[in-house]
Amino acid sequence: MTTGGYVIVAYVAGLAILWGYGVHLILAARKQVRRIEQHNGGKSCQSS
Amino acid sequence: MCRQCKQTLAWLITTMLFFAIAIALVAGYVPTEATMGPIQKIFYLHLPVAIATFVACLICFAASVGYALQRDMKWDRLASAAARVSVVFCSVVLLTGMIWGKSAWGQWWTWSPRLTFSLVLWLLYVVYVMVRASVESPQRRAIIAAVYGIIAFLDVPLVYLSVRLMPDIHPASVELAGSMKLTLIAWFGPVFMLMFGLIALRFRIDQRAAELEKVESEPITAPGQMTWAGGAGSAL
């Protein structure tokens, strides 16, 4: 692999891990909101 | 849209925007370093993520001390969130460091003091997460995690000082030209925004999970009566 290839792999893999964890958390939060909606009869998010 | 949804969305868009600027600077603005060549460009991701890992570990340490002193579960949740994020960030530090090592030194890994202490740091926080998962009682888990979180942090100064106190293949400091410094500063912004944002998001999820568990364990009165400390069960 060329040096440029190593740089691209490092950036793609590094950012994929960081953002992958972010996506994981956002999905977990959305799942949690659906659970709250079940409790509150469809309401979970109040406008402000 | 609720207040917390808007906050999360704003954080997400701003962080992505700053990341896009930082990537553009590495791809098209910053010059290639004369001695090391293009592989030096990994540095702009590697260093900010390493410093962010230390800060996440420091938050875990401070929150562990907070729990030990006040016995408030909010401190425990903050310590847990920071520890998880530090594992993720430390994984990126090790990965980008290994790729750099393969290209610059010709080998993926070497047992130099800084690399070894960095691997130990990653293992310490992986074990922290595993220990938390293995203890069922919340109070017992919190006190064990607090003691562990305080002790685990002792490795952070070792990672930082190892390269200065012991002979090491890892560079201790790097001289940077003006454009390189600017690019490095541009990378610190989104990396720290992501780190703080992820800790806040993880903390909020754990906080809501605890409230949800509490409500579910109580007898049902009527629908629509659940209240949330985070502001009426906000999304994201």
Side-chain angles (χ1 to χ4, degrees), chain B residues 20-214:
Chain B
I21 293 167
I23 291 167
L25 286 174
V26 170
Y29 169 70
V30 73
T32 304
E33 207 258 342
T35 319
M36 294 192 76
I39 198 67
Q40 184 268 344
K41 289 192 174 187
I42 290 180
F43 175 76
Y44 303 110
L45 175 65
H46 182 74
L47 181 70
V49 175
I51 305 292
T53 306
F54 294 160
V55 174
C57 293
L58 180 66
I59 294 170
C60 177
F61 169 77
S64 299
V65 172
Y67 180 80
L69 294 176
Q70 296 182 350
R71 293 291 195 274
D72 186 339
M73 289 306 276
K74 278 184 185 170
W75 288 120
D76 178 56
R77 284 179 207 121
L78 180 61
S80 167
R84 285 161 198 266
V85 170
S86 69
V87 168
V88 174
F89 275 64
C90 197
S91 304
V92 175
V93 175
L94 291 174
L95 181 74
T96 53
M98 282 167 71
I99 294 171
W100 181 330
K102 177 62 184 168
S103 182
W105 309 326
Q107 51 191 354
W108 292 105
W109 187 263
T110 176
W111 293 100
S112 83
R114 175 161 277 188
L115 272 66
T116 307
F117 283 126
S118 300
L119 182 64
V120 169
L121 185 74
W122 181 79
L123 285 169
L124 280 168
Y125 284 91
V126 167
V127 171
Y128 176 97
V129 175
M130 290 167 72
V131 166
R132 289 190 68 89
S134 65
V135 182
E136 277 195 29
S137 160
Q139 275 72 29
R140 198 157 165 262
R141 178 173 59 219
I143 193 66
I144 291 170
V147 172
Y148 189 99
I150 291 166
I151 295 167
F153 182 74
L154 295 176
D155 190 51
V156 172
L158 288 177
V159 176
Y160 182 75
L161 292 172
S162 60
V163 81
R164 285 164 178 79
L165 301 176
M166 289 177 253
D168 201 316
I169 192 170
H170 193 285
S173 61
V174 185
E175 286 291 318
L176 294 174
S179 58
M180 290 175 174
K181 276 182 191 162
L182 182 73
T183 308
L184 185 63
I185 291 165
W187 269 93
F188 269 100
V191 166
F192 271 73
M193 279 177 74
L194 189 66
M195 186 266 292
F196 286 124
L198 290 177
I199 291 175
L201 194 55
R202 180 77 236 184
F203 173 79
R204 211 189 292 165
I205 288 170
D206 290 345
Q207 182 85 1
R208 259 196 251 133
E211 288 165 8
L212 195 58
E213 204 174 304
K214 196 177 166 189

Side-chain angles (χ1 to χ4, degrees), chain B residues 1 134 218:
Chain B
M1 196 186 272
S134 65
E218 285 168 2

